[in-house]
Amino acid sequence: MPITTQTAAGSASAPPIAPAVPSPRRRPIGHRLRDLGSRWLFLAPALAILVAVLAYPLFYTVQISFSELDLATFTPARNVGWLNYRTVLDDPGFLNSLRVTGVYLALALPLQMVLGFGIAFLLNVEWRGRGVLRSLFLIPMVVVPVVAGGVWKMLLDPMWGFVNYLLGLVGLGPVDWLADPTLAMVSLVLIDTWRWTPFVVLIASAGLMSLPGDVFEAARVDGAGWFATLRRITLPLLAPVILAAFIVRWLGAVKMFDIALAATKGGPGQATDVVNLYIYEKAFRGLEFGTASSMATLVLAITMLLTFLFLRLNRFLEKRW
């Protein structure tokens, strides 16, 4: 009888034991089928939208790239094999647009990354008014790209532009920003940098706030200076964030179209004729939809390949640090 009382008291104080959950492979096949069906049922609306807005246009573009398009019915008339692709690779305008896009990306992306992370470092330091400045930085992001290009075209006007007015106050100019091939590319890069640097600032600020504070406190106790802390702790810890921000900006910058259309229309000559603008001109002004689809498919393949390499590099950095 005493043994029974002790056992009851012990069971009352012990935590409840959760029922054993069978592994998915040991569940009855009917239960697994119902579970799998419910998962696909929840995924079905998203998959249907994804197929409608992404997969179908993609496959249609690839189909057109191997065909001659009937403009009356807007359907492929006949298969021409690789003819459109051979025409594209022999097109000097397309190769020039790839070169122009490469120059634009090589100038814009490093500039935006350096400015974005530099501004984020300044905003991460405690000082009065940084919240207001951080909010003002978001304004360029909400401006429509076509509007941004049009507004900057007026600001850079050689006769009536505000930029030349400011240069005139210090005895410089006027400068014809959009008529000179080199300055036109510089202007395109500056407009895109003005619009997208705040986005990099947001990502960099989030990355800086997520860094472990005890590591910096230990470095300070050990007597590490500002530059040593930046070079040996901050930048290595931020490396995956920097590359992630670069990949996101890369995917946005490679789609450059609307700012170039509104500000320079690809000129002067073909100095700012980025590849998306060239494809648009070929398709909707030249009505060469077959070759334009081949160009779009090639650009998509190059973008996917480079993005894959960037993602592999990002995974390598995450494992290393």
Side-chain angles (χ1 to χ4, degrees), residues 123 127-139:
L123 293 178
W127 52 279
R128 180 174 297 179
R130 68 167 184 164
V132 178
L133 189 60
R134 185 178 291 172
S135 303
L136 292 177
F137 264 109
L138 301 179
I139 293 178

Side-chain angles (χ1 to χ4, degrees), residues 7-123:
T7 306
S11 61
S13 60
I17 300 174
V21 178
S23 67
R25 291 186 178 180
R26 293 181 180 177
R27 291 175 181 171
I29 185 168
H31 181 79
R32 281 187 287 167
L33 289 177
R34 283 195 301 273
D35 181 54
L36 187 63
S38 62
R39 295 183 185 187
W40 280 105
L41 186 62
F42 280 108
L43 284 174
L47 289 177
I49 295 174
L50 193 64
V51 170
V53 302
L54 182 62
Y56 175 74
L58 179 62
F59 287 120
Y60 183 72
T61 302
V62 175
Q63 183 186 13
I64 295 297
S65 70
F66 289 100
S67 310
E68 179 181 343
L69 188 69
D70 185 355
L71 294 178
T73 60
F74 227 70
T75 55
R78 64 184 181 91
N79 192 305
V80 296
W82 295 94
L83 177 62
N84 289 331
Y85 286 91
R86 288 196 294 269
T87 304
V88 166
L89 295 178
D90 292 334
D91 185 352
F94 176 68
L95 300 179
N96 176 73
S97 67
L98 286 179
R99 183 189 63 80
V100 170
T101 305
V103 171
Y104 153 72
L105 293 173
L107 294 175
L109 290 180
L111 180 62
Q112 294 173 17
M113 298 302 295
V114 171
L115 282 178
F117 277 83
I119 295 172
F121 274 111
L122 294 177
L123 293 178

